[in-house]
Amino acid sequence: MLENERRKIDQLDQEIIRLLEQRFDTVQTIAKVKKEQSIPILDESREQIILEKVASYVTNKSYVSAIQTIYQEMMSSSRAYQKKQMD
């Protein structure tokens, strides 16, 4: 039973990585645009909107806080990646 569930996690992780790579491809493009247009990396209002959208997408509301925390970390990593691209 445990091994079956771990295999499910492994499969989900592969899908998550694929999607994260797509997200970071887009982050890279956004960094280029921000650099060209001298737009600051951090847009707090945009990040708040994202967190609100994320909460609305979650079906099991007991997961909202944990998923928002993951998104906060993901956005922080995206900002750090953008900063590297813009330097």
Side-chain angles (χ1 to χ4, degrees), residues 18-56:
R18 186 185 66 76
L19 293 170
L20 283 172
E21 286 182 338
Q22 289 179 21
R23 192 178 198 284
F24 270 88
D25 288 344
T26 304
V27 166
Q28 185 174 26
T29 302
I30 289 169
K32 289 177 187 175
V33 171
K34 286 181 177 181
K35 185 174 183 175
E36 290 169 1
Q37 297 181 9
S38 299
I39 298 171
I41 293 171
L42 177 60
D43 182 345
E44 290 180 21
S45 62
R46 168 78 176 141
E47 290 195 6
Q48 187 57 42
I49 290 167
I50 291 169
L51 292 174
E52 290 168 8
K53 281 183 187 181
V54 164
S56 74

Side-chain angles (χ1 to χ4, degrees), residues 54-71:
V54 164
S56 74
Y57 298 155
V58 177
T59 304
N60 184 333
K61 296 305 178 187
S62 69
Y63 301 155
V64 168
S65 179
I67 291 172
Q68 283 181 319
T69 298
I70 291 166
Y71 265 79

Side-chain angles (χ1 to χ4, degrees), residues 2 9 11 13 21 33 36 51 58 75 79-80 86-87:
L2 181 58
I9 291 289
Q11 290 172 343
D13 284 344
E21 286 182 338
V33 171
E36 290 169 1
L51 292 174
V58 177
M75 289 185 294
R79 285 192 310 273
M86 294 172 76
D87 287 340

